[in-house]
Amino acid sequence: MPGFLNLILRGVAFLFTIIITGLIGNVIAQDNHASTSARAAVNFTMFVTALSWVVCLYGMVAGVISSLSMPIILIVLDGLGVLFTFISAIVLAARIGNTNCSNTVDRSANWIAYGSGNPEHRCRELQASDAFMWFLWATLCGALFFSFTEMRSPTGSTRSSRPAMSQV
C-alpha cells in the first residue's frame, strides 16, 4: 500500500512540475529587459523544475519497475528535490513580495515582475508558480517520507515478493 501511495504522490508532483514548467517557461519567453537579479531567480526556478522532472520521472519509473527501485537513489533524489524546491519557493516569494499585482507602481527597478510588456501578467504568473512550487514541495516531502519508509523496511523494499522468515 505505501508503494501505491508513493506512486500517486509522485504522479501529483509530476502534474505540479508540468504546470510550473509552463508558467516559468512563459515568464522566460516574455522576458524583454528584466534585471539580472530577476533573471537569476526565474532561471533558478527553471533549474529546480528541471530537477523535479528527473526526480518525478525516476520515482514513477522506479515505482512501476521494481528492479530500478534503489531506495538510496530515491532518497538522494527526493532529498535534493525537497531542498531545492524549498529554496526556490522561498526565493520566488521573497522576490515577488507581499504585493497586489494590479498595482505595479512604486516598486524598485529590479522587481521580479518588471521585464515584460505586461508586469501585472508576469506578476500573476510568478505568484502562481510560487504557489505550485509550495505544493510540489509538499508532495516531494511525502515522497521522501515513503522512500525512507521503504529503505527502513526489513527487506529493503516494500514491493519485495520474498517470503518472510515465518513462511520459510
Side-chain angles (χ1 to χ4, degrees):
M1 187 65 169
F4 181 69
L5 291 175
N6 195 0
L7 195 58
I8 288 175
L9 269 177
R10 291 184 187 282
V12 171
F14 185 65
L15 178 66
F16 292 148
T17 302
I18 291 171
I19 293 170
I20 295 168
T21 302
L23 288 168
I24 293 297
N26 194 35
V27 168
I28 291 172
Q30 295 177 355
D31 191 2
N32 294 334
H33 51 277
S35 67
T36 305
S37 61
R39 279 192 184 135
V42 171
N43 288 340
F44 179 71
T45 303
M46 187 52 93
F47 162 75
V48 172
T49 305
L51 177 67
S52 297
W53 275 89
V54 172
V55 171
C56 292
L57 288 176
Y58 181 78
M60 288 190 311
V61 169
V64 174
I65 303 171
S66 61
S67 63
L68 294 176
S69 178
M70 294 183 230
I72 191 69
I73 292 175
L74 284 171
I75 287 175
V76 169
L77 284 176
D78 288 340
L80 288 173
V82 166
L83 175 68
F84 283 118
T85 304
F86 183 71
I87 292 169
S88 177
I90 289 176
V91 166
L92 271 182
R95 296 287 297 149
I96 295 169
N98 187 8
T99 187
N100 177 7
C101 288
S102 298
N103 183 13
T104 59
V105 295
D106 299 331
R107 294 276 169 201
S108 66
N110 64 351
W111 186 44
I112 194 167
Y114 291 150
S116 72
N118 188 351
E120 180 180 349
H121 180 72
R122 182 177 166 120
C123 177
R124 293 190 193 285
E125 283 183 333
L126 289 167
Q127 283 180 334
S129 298
D130 193 37
F132 282 110
M133 190 65 73
W134 283 110
F135 295 146
L136 176 62
W137 176 76
T139 55
L140 289 178
C141 283
L144 179 63
F145 170 77
F146 284 121
S147 293
F148 270 125
T149 304
E150 184 176 330
M151 186 172 161
R152 294 186 53 89
S153 69
T155 60
S157 175
T158 56
R159 291 186 266 308
S160 176
S161 61
R162 290 183 274 170
M165 285 303 291
S166 62
Q167 295 174 346
V168 172

